[in-house]
């Protein structure tokens, strides 16, 4: 059982940072709503507020790690240009997709959308984390602000779902592979 | 027990509006880079990622500059959040639409 370096990095990008981030979304909605619903009048343990802050800051950090690893590490491998006359395009996912009209849409729609829409998420989640750190339970006193924060969080979820969904499908149709091989397990 | 006095909403409003501005900037840069090959070439700051590098870099600069400017202006103040939220969400949706390839093609008459 072996895995290539590029496969490993793709897994880290998608299943490590990205999937972890997606899993954290329902918690983020709950954290924001719970803190704002209870409000500042009810005394809350300091550790609880600190934990909520850490949760949202971690989500923002995961969003940046996911998009940066995708754009700076995976994407250059995806869009590598094959040498003239190359017939085996397996190491050039973008060229492989565009070489067939039946798969070109995965690039023209999937990757073209994914590469941009993903960036809404770190911007939105940085704002959400900042507002929560600044206001915390006081969000209950700023209902408009709470609504905006929840709206941006929901749209960040949508953006991540689109980017993650297309990322998974693109990697099935034209996998990003290559580099050193790592043996994870040797059978009997 | 009475509620503690609420913090001024200016800094929060600044962060929300700046996120909206950053989102719209992302859509505008992505669309412009796609529609205008000259701009697409200019946005290629780092060749391995093509125009995406410039689109992201320019977006982050616009977003952070807007945030800094608004935060300074609204520091310690209360602002009317209704138009701010409306503008921010409108810009966010416009930005999302501008990154959607079929919508980009429609605007370019393709």
């Amino acid at each position: 059982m072996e895995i290539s370096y590029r496969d490993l990095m793709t897994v880290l990008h998608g299943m490590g940072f990205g999937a972890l981030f997606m899993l954290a979304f329902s918690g983020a909605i709950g954290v924001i709503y719970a803190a704002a619903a209870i409000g500042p009048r009810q005394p809350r343990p300091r550790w609880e507020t600190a934990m909520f802050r850490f949760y949202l800051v971690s989500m923002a950090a995961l969003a940046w790690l996911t998009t940066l690893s995708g754009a700076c590490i995976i994407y250059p491998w995806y869009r590598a240009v094959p040498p003239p006359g190359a017939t085996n395009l397996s190491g050039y996912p973008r060229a492989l997709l565009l070489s067939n009209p039946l798969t070109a849409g995965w690039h023209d729609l999937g990757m073209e959308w994914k590469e941009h829409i993903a960036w809404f998420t770190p911007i939105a989640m940085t704002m959400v984390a900042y507002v929560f750190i600044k206001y915390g339970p006081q969000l209950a006193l700023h209902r408009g602000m709470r609504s905006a924060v929840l709206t941006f969080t929901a749209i960040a979820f949508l953006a991540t779902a689109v980017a993650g969904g297309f990322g998974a499908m693109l990697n099935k149709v034209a996998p990003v592979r290559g580099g050193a091989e790592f043996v994870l397990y040797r059978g009997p | 027990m009475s509620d503690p006095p609420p913090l001024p909403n200016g800094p929060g409003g600044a962060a929300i509006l700046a996120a909206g501005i950053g989102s719209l900037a992302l859509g505008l840069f992505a669309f412009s880079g796609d529609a205008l090959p000259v701009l697409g070439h200019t946005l290629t700051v780092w060749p391995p990622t093509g125009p995406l590098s410039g689109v992201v870099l320019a977006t982050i600069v616009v977003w952070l500059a807007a945030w800094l400017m608004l935060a300074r202006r609204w520091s310690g103040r209360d602002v009317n959040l209704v138009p701010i939220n409306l503008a921010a969400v409108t810009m966010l949706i416009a930005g999302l639409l501008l990154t959607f390839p079929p919508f980009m093609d429609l605007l370019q008459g393709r």
Side-chain angles (χ1 to χ4, degrees):
Chain A
M1 191 169 82
E2 64 179 13
I3 188 169
S4 76
Y5 174 67
R6 291 183 182 182
D7 267 319
L8 195 62
M9 295 308 289
T10 306
V11 167
L12 182 68
H13 159 71
M15 296 300 294
F17 301 141
L20 193 58
F21 179 75
M22 286 289 281
L23 285 171
F25 255 111
S26 53
I29 299 278
V31 162
I32 296 163
Y33 191 80
I38 294 168
R41 190 183 295 182
Q42 300 290 331
R44 314 190 74 171
R46 286 185 70 176
W47 66 266
E48 194 177 289
T49 306
M51 193 187 70
F52 284 177
R53 287 176 176 163
F54 175 75
Y55 189 92
L56 290 173
V57 169
S58 300
M59 276 192 75
L62 273 175
W64 282 107
L65 282 172
T66 309
T67 46
L68 285 170
S69 62
C72 300
I73 301 172
I74 316 293
Y75 189 54
W77 293 333
Y78 169 83
R79 71 189 300 275
V81 179
T87 52
N88 180 5
L89 299 176
S90 60
Y92 308 93
R94 179 178 180 270
L96 179 65
L97 292 174
L98 292 175
S99 68
N100 183 343
L102 293 175
T103 57
W106 285 112
H107 172 79
D108 293 336
L109 175 62
M111 181 51 91
E112 292 283 343
W113 198 17
K114 168 186 165 59
E115 73 185 43
H116 292 122
I117 197 172
W119 289 95
F120 288 104
T121 303
I123 291 174
M125 292 315 295
T126 303
M127 178 275 281
V128 168
Y130 168 80
V131 169
F132 194 85
I133 287 170
K134 180 86 180 167
Y135 295 91
Q138 284 225 353
L139 275 176
L141 308 175
H142 300 283
R143 287 184 174 271
M145 200 183 298
R146 185 184 70 179
S147 299
V149 162
L150 286 171
T151 303
F152 269 80
T153 307
I155 291 181
F157 177 77
L158 176 76
T160 308
V162 169
F166 273 119
M169 291 309 294
L170 281 159
N171 207 42
K172 282 181 78 72
V173 182
V176 174
R177 293 219 166 102
E181 297 285 340
F182 299 98
V183 177
L184 302 175
Y185 173 75
R186 283 189 197 278
Chain B
M1 189 183 192
S2 62
D3 284 338
L7 291 168
N9 67 11
I16 291 165
L17 188 58
I21 291 170
S23 301
L24 180 62
L26 176 61
L28 286 174
F29 285 126
F31 174 74
S32 308
D34 187 62
L36 305 168
V38 176
L39 190 61
H41 185 72
T42 309
L43 287 168
T44 303
V45 178
W46 189 47
T49 57
L52 180 65
S53 52
V55 168
V56 170
L57 197 63
T59 297
I60 291 172
V61 168
V62 168
W63 165 52
L64 292 179
W67 193 353
L68 185 68
M69 193 191 73
L70 290 167
R72 279 188 179 174
R73 181 166 291 188
W74 293 346
S75 173
R77 284 179 50 188
D78 273 314
V79 292
N80 183 359
L81 274 182
V82 175
I84 289 170
N85 287 348
L86 196 64
V89 173
T90 304
M91 286 190 283
L92 175 62
I93 291 168
L96 278 169
L97 276 175
L98 284 168
T99 61
F100 186 50
F103 189 72
M104 282 182 174
D105 293 343
L106 185 73
L107 289 183
Q108 294 173 58
R110 287 182 187 163

